[in-house]
Amino acid sequence: MKLSVWKDRPNRVRIMALHDGKHEEARRYFYRQYYPDENIKGFRILQLDMNPWNFEKDNLVKITPRIMNCLLNNNLLSKNAELNKMAIKTLELEFLCKDIK
């Protein structure tokens, strides 16, 4: 497996993993290595500390597109992993409560 950097638009860097002759986002690749039995199709993989080079197991989380969109649209993400965890949990609870009503 080889890592490469893609700059697909200004101020955005994506780290890609080349394995088995195909490219895949490195965070998805590493998440699948840590959790091989989990289905990540249709989910987003977020690096909690927002460091594109940090692929540690406790830094990668699987979230729904709905939560990712809310995080991005409301500027809730920071470079603080703990604050990002709290923002994700808050949104999960908010959506859970809305679905109950």
Side-chain angles (χ1 to χ4, degrees):
M1 192 269 309
K2 179 182 172 184
L3 295 177
S4 62
V5 177
W6 284 11
K7 294 182 180 182
D8 58 354
R9 61 182 155 185
N11 298 323
R12 180 175 177 189
V13 173
R14 295 172 67 188
I15 311 303
M16 304 299 285
L18 175 63
H19 64 94
D20 301 327
K22 63 180 180 175
H23 284 95
E24 178 180 26
E25 281 191 344
R27 58 184 164 205
R28 294 183 76 79
Y29 171 80
F30 282 103
Y31 190 89
R32 281 192 302 107
Q33 299 304 307
Y34 297 135
Y35 308 101
D37 296 332
E38 280 195 46
N39 180 14
I40 61 173
K41 186 175 182 177
F43 286 90
R44 307 291 182 260
I45 305 301
L46 178 69
Q47 290 160 302
L48 288 171
D49 65 358
M50 304 307 289
N51 176 356
W53 292 100
N54 185 353
F55 302 109
E56 294 177 15
K57 184 176 184 176
D58 61 345
N59 192 50
L60 299 174
V61 293
K62 175 177 84 169
I63 58 176
T64 65
R66 182 179 183 192
I67 289 178
M68 182 63 119
N69 290 340
C70 284
L71 290 170
L72 294 173
N73 292 340
N74 295 295
N75 296 319
L76 296 176
L77 292 173
S78 70
K79 294 186 186 264
N80 184 318
E82 292 303 314
L83 290 177
N84 291 338
K85 281 183 198 177
M86 290 191 317
I88 291 167
K89 290 294 181 195
T90 301
L91 288 171
E92 287 173 344
L93 289 171
E94 180 181 348
F95 294 148
L96 182 64
C97 291
K98 283 183 179 179
D99 290 343
I100 291 173
K101 290 181 181 180

